[in-house]
Amino acid sequence: MNGRAAFAGPPVLFVGVKAMPNTVLVGAQWGDEGKGKIIDVLTQQADVIVRYQGGSNAGHTVIVGDKKYVLHLIPSGILHEDKLCVIGNGVVLEPFDLLRELNELHEKGIETKGRLLISDRAHLVMRWHRALDQADEARRSAGKKIGTTGRGIGPTYGAKVGRTGMRAGDVLKADFLDRVVEQVEAANATLASWGAELLDVAEITGLYRELPDKIAPYVADTVKVIHEADRAGKSILLEGAQGTMLDIDFGTYPFVTSSSSTAGGACTGSGLPPRRIDRVVGVLKCYTTRVGAGPFPTELDDDVGEMLRRRGGEYGATTGRSRRCGWFDAVVARYAAQVNGFDFWAMTKLDVLDELPVVRICVAYERDDGFRYETFPSDLDELARCKPVYEEMPGWQTSTSEVTRYEDLPLKARAYVERLSSLTGVRIGILSVGPARESTMRLGL
Ligand code: IMP
């Protein structure tokens, strides 16, 4: 099709060992586990980096030299010259957010043409999806609000599943603007029924008039590209956004995002088959945070919670909201390990706990009748009947932020992370003690 990114050439069948096995990276908690930094570390060995779900609700800040980049949609692999970045079919893409990110990269001298590909099957977040998301949150009563990022994520996935969505490949079709008009009118009917402000059809249509020329050069059939790269022996890194407990199926429904943020989503969101995935890495913060509404059994509403927020810089990269903070929850992590089949943990932010005299770990939930949950209950009413069962360990009260070798960590800090590993049955592959690349210990990953 005219105007699309073209990828030609016969597929090569690779027989050999890849520089890095094809790897999926998934958040094990409620998002914000520090995936951005781990992705940056693993990207160095990868050839192709694929984002497979979510949209501009995600966000990470990457600092390279004296330049700061805030990326919501484009994989941070774009900052490495020789990498190919793919926005997979499972992502929902807000085109104006994308153009903003592209401009920012171009202004900083980073070339994106030919290095960034957008799946023609990825659904577009349109202005009316965003308006519907915000109006829906506004009309919900207290206790029913999800606390969404307001980025239009839910309504876009809703339209996808309802088979009325618009895909990136659609911008090149002759009826694109007619469909825009049709859909703004349909959204206006819903907005009117909610008593919300209506959208101006002509204004919205005008916005999308120039879009095809701007995004078409990036749009491609990325399933083909990913398969060819895999067959040619390239290493593929699939990066998940949000986290297991925000997954539409496995999270704390309805207080979840609308996509499959677990490992299974990596296949449906990219087109890479399950048997071509070699390993799954879970990113796990050494304590727990959550942003937005919904249950959080180990939440701390005290000085320790405040200390975690302050030392951990726990403020959202997308909305700036302050994150709720709490003790490490092994029930959540164990459940995430079951659902995702993690081969390794990439544990992050151990240094945030450095000051504490005592650290607590939630090892199980106990229901009001004494029944113990070792993994997360599926029903939130059940969860409401539960209390966390804590185990205590002595804190190390020594700074770990300069440590670069696992053997040099204080013994009490090692005992803590090893306890997290044994409680969840997953070995530690990476341990991070600070935002910089150097503050990363690699233990067999
Ligand atoms: P939505 O994804 O904007 O629909 O928001 C649904 C829920 O997921 C809300 O509680 C958000 O705060 C949460 N959420 C969405 N994206 C992220 C993320 O990247 N990190 C942490 N929480 C997120």
Side-chain angles (χ1 to χ4, degrees), residues 4 87-89 118-123 166-170 172 218-223:
R4 285 190 179 214
I87 295 184
N89 57 279
I118 298 167
S119 167
D120 53 359
R121 295 176 175 89
H123 279 247
M166 305 190 67
R167 311 202 297 180
D170 293 347
L172 299 160
Y218 295 97
V219 176
D221 180 352
T222 56
V223 170

Side-chain angles (χ1 to χ4, degrees), residues 30-32 57-58 146-150 153-154 242 246 256-257 291-293 321:
W30 277 282
D32 310 313
N57 48 352
I146 308 292
T148 73
T149 58
I153 306 299
Q242 290 85 45
L246 289 170
V256 291
T257 190
V291 57
R321 289 181 288 180

Side-chain angles (χ1 to χ4, degrees), residues 158-334:
K160 173 178 178 174
V161 176
R163 294 161 295 185
T164 57
M166 305 190 67
R167 311 202 297 180
D170 293 347
V171 299
L172 299 160
K173 303 221 166 109
D175 64 351
F176 175 61
L177 289 178
D178 296 338
R179 288 187 64 203
V180 169
V181 173
E182 212 175 86
Q183 297 213 15
V184 185
E185 282 169 354
N188 272 344
T190 307
L191 291 167
S193 74
W194 293 346
E197 200 180 321
L198 302 192
L199 299 167
D200 183 322
V201 181
E203 190 188 315
I204 303 270
T205 318
L207 271 179
Y208 290 108
R209 215 174 287 283
E210 316 267 297
L211 195 60
D213 291 344
K214 292 188 178 142
I215 76 160
Y218 295 97
V219 176
D221 180 352
T222 56
V223 170
K224 193 163 168 261
V225 175
I226 290 171
H227 278 252
E228 285 176 6
D230 184 42
R231 285 164 69 94
K234 306 283 186 204
S235 302
I236 303 173
L237 174 62
L238 299 120
E239 57 164 272
Q242 290 85 45
T244 302
M245 301 310 289
L246 289 170
D247 184 277
I248 185 74
D249 287 280
F250 304 112
T252 46
Y253 190 90
F255 301 99
V256 291
T257 190
S258 301
S259 65
S260 299
S261 49
T262 40
C267 298
T268 54
S270 70
L272 189 68
R275 292 180 62 179
R276 297 304 306 142
I277 289 171
D278 301 308
R279 63 181 187 182
V280 184
V281 176
V283 187
L284 188 67
K285 189 146 58 179
C286 289
Y287 51 98
T288 314
T289 61
R290 171 163 207 169
V291 57
F296 180 178
T298 61
E299 183 168 13
L300 289 168
D301 208 3
D302 61 8
D303 291 352
V304 177
E306 192 43 51
M307 184 281 293
L308 294 173
R309 190 171 303 114
R310 178 178 43 81
R311 279 188 60 108
E314 297 296 354
Y315 300 92
T318 298
T319 58
R321 289 181 288 180
S322 71
R323 297 179 186 143
R324 300 155 65 191
C325 298
W327 293 118
F328 183 83
D329 188 337
V331 180
V332 163
R334 206 180 280 130

Side-chain angles (χ1 to χ4, degrees), residues 37-59:
K37 157 154 180 196
I38 306 300
I39 290 161
D40 183 51
V41 169
L42 295 180
T43 291
Q44 294 168 53
Q45 295 160 271
D47 301 298
V48 183
I49 299 100
V50 185
R51 173 84 192 268
Y52 64 79
Q53 45 72 231
S56 331
N57 48 352

